[in-house]
Amino acid sequence: YFLKWWKDRELVNLTSGYFEKSDKILTEYFLDIFNRPEDHHYIIQYAHQAIGHVTLGHKTKKTFEIQNITFENKK
């Protein structure tokens, strides 16, 4: 899902703003993020369709950040 979503320029403009074309670079980027044991990532589903994700990211020893990204299904 993440590779597909980060190929969507509109979604990227709403988040990081940095568009990357290379699947290899994106795969390495997401593997690095997902392999951080202190962070947790969840796919949001509605009517059996993935519509976004939630991240609980460890920022400091005592603080976390929640990121919630959902988008319209363009089917």
Side-chain angles (χ1 to χ4, degrees):
Y1 292 110
F2 286 91
L3 284 175
K4 177 184 171 188
W5 292 337
W6 259 252
K7 293 290 186 173
D8 182 321
R9 284 188 187 270
E10 184 178 340
L11 176 64
V12 170
N13 285 337
L14 293 172
T15 58
S16 68
Y18 177 74
F19 183 78
E20 174 58 56
K21 292 181 182 180
S22 167
D23 282 352
K24 182 178 187 239
I25 291 172
L26 283 174
T27 299
E28 291 171 1
Y29 172 74
F30 287 119
L31 286 175
D32 178 56
I33 288 174
F34 297 146
N35 285 323
R36 296 177 191 165
E38 65 275 9
D39 294 346
H40 303 277
H41 304 271
Y42 304 93
I43 296 292
I44 301 168
Q45 290 187 331
Y46 177 75
H48 305 289
Q49 296 288 321
I51 62 164
H53 68 94
V54 171
T55 300
L56 178 61
H58 196 152
K59 290 300 179 186
T60 70
K61 187 175 183 177
K62 295 183 178 182
T63 62
F64 287 82
E65 174 181 77
I66 296 174
Q67 297 175 347
N68 176 11
I69 299 175
T70 57
F71 60 95
E72 177 183 356
N73 189 347
K74 295 181 179 181
K75 283 186 176 184

